[in-house]
Amino acid sequence: MSASPRSVLVVGASLAGVETVRALRTEGFDGAITVLGEEPHAPYDRPPLSKGFLDGTLGLEQVALDMPVDGVVLRTGTRAVRLVPETREVLTSAGERLRADAVVVATGARARRLDSPFGPEQGVHVLRSLRDAHALRADLVAGSRLVVVGGGFIGTEVAATAAGLGLDVTIVETQPVLLEQQLGPLLSGVLTVHHERHGVGIVTGSAVGELQGSTRVSGVRLLDGRVLPADVVLVGVGSRPNVEWLADSGLPVADGVLCDDSGLVRAGVVAVGDCSAWRDADGAHRRRQHWTAALRQAGVAARTLLGLPSSEQSVDLDYVWSDQYGLRLQVLGRPAAHLRCEVAGDPSGESFTATFHDDEAGGVIRAVASVSDPRGFGRARRSVGKVPSTA
Amino acid sequence: MDTAAGDAGVAERVRVGLLADLRLDEVAVVEARGRRIAVFHTEEGVFGVDDRCTHQDAALSDGFLEGCLIECPLHASFFDLRTGEPSGPPATRAVATYPVVDEDGELFVELPVPADGGVS
């Protein structure tokens, strides 16, 4: 960019957008910032929506994201419908034309749904927004039968929450094991045991054929013909980036807005969060839909916009956490099956940390995973990328 | 947040234990007035802070201690135990700090008078 921007327009008011605002201010930017949010609410944090907010232990106040207010105008209920990158102009759903020196694309993603336009609608949910969470919560009545389609993080967390609320829960997952890619076999096994212990049915290796029912859902038919009766269905089968509004912008869009490893899409335009696909070290662009990825990207992209040199980057590994049944799962990196696993603590118990070693590279630690062992995890995460001395 | 209240502002003292039992880089947790306070023994002294990250539900006493900085175990924000200030996101608010006094080898956390005179 030629000169430092004097005004920034942030399109999207969720974690990535809000944290970019904070990072801009932290880096000393004192110009005007406008934030557009499509949803009617003030910014909020999404992780609690499948956990504490869903079971009612957390209220709206506790899920609010706080954003710097000085010189920041937040416009909720305003959707961006078009971007002209050359002039950094954004057209809104209200027909307004907003203009700034720099634009942050942070429009996030939306939940994928099942491709069945003629299926029942009542009782069928996705979970992405506060509105989704309110609707799902209203349907989570003790004694009801909930079928969760998709055993990912959203699906397993909702299953755990719903089991705690007294529902009869079944998870349907196409893969042979729950969350094996993300958690690795060890944690995946522990998680599965806990779901089963809480009475959650797990049907793996099965795909959903269709949802049954006329207006209200009554069951889920699997491709193998089995039918699971259901009063409520949660569909947690991934997301799609909200990038359609950029279709005629000329920006490079595939599965997400393509940007370089500093978040730059083109002069004066950066992209952050779930709508963005940053270029990885191997040259491929990937969407990293993790909470901590959005946070990191916000910090990097803010410096990019201000023309500051990028800060030194630590090893760029995905970090995920999940709270289920009082267990806290934490994973840094990919605990892939070919890595040798060393466990500190009792893996059959409630608290342990595992390190995952690459023996083809001298035993270097590639990933760390723990169950309810935050201290062990905190220690072990510092050894990632290193060869343990006591090998 | 300034909790270094003078004598007049100290409403309550809570015994932590013997300094000799709290090794360097170790933490003790005491409960008082409905809150959990983590007491850390660092090279710069003994410090008390609320045992909860200001960002999300995580116990700072489970965190990794580096000098006077405690790392939140969930999202790796650091808090300076001397001031309570976070080093960066996701935490944005300071964690409450409490003076810890050493009386002949016995440690006490000092709780301030609640601003409204009631239970805070």
Side-chain angles (χ1 to χ4, degrees), chain A residues 3 29 65 72 212 225 238 256 260 331 340 373:
Chain A
F29 175 71
L65 282 177
V72 179
Q212 298 185 323
D260 69 10
V331 181
R340 177 172 48 84
D373 184 19

Side-chain angles (χ1 to χ4, degrees), chain A residues 144-188:
Chain A
S144 295
R145 294 161 302 182
L146 167 69
V147 172
V148 173
V149 180
F153 283 112
I154 292 283
T156 52
E157 287 179 358
V158 169
T161 303
L165 292 171
L167 281 86
D168 175 4
V169 184
T170 305
I171 300 173
V172 182
E173 166 59 44
T174 53
Q175 296 296 310
V177 182
L178 292 179
L179 281 167
E180 186 170 27
Q181 273 227 319
Q182 295 87 339
L183 297 180
L186 181 65
L187 262 69
S188 169

Side-chain angles (χ1 to χ4, degrees), chain B residues 30-104:
Chain B
V30 292
E31 298 200 20
R33 254 196 252 144
R35 54 184 123 182
R36 286 165 54 89
I37 298 170
V39 178
F40 293 90
H41 187 181
T42 77
E43 283 180 351
E44 290 196 36
V46 182
F47 300 97
V49 298
D50 262 339
D51 188 23
R52 191 167 185 280
C53 177
T54 56
H55 167 244
Q56 255 182 34
D57 189 13
L60 292 179
S61 55
D62 286 333
F64 191 86
L65 188 63
E66 279 190 359
C68 275
L69 299 176
I70 182 70
E71 182 190 55
C72 167
L74 190 53
H75 294 131
S77 274
F78 281 91
F79 293 90
D80 189 322
L81 293 173
R82 295 162 294 192
T83 60
E85 290 294 329
S87 63
T92 54
R93 292 183 301 275
V95 66
T97 60
Y98 304 90
V100 180
V101 293
D102 175 353
E103 273 189 7
D104 303 326

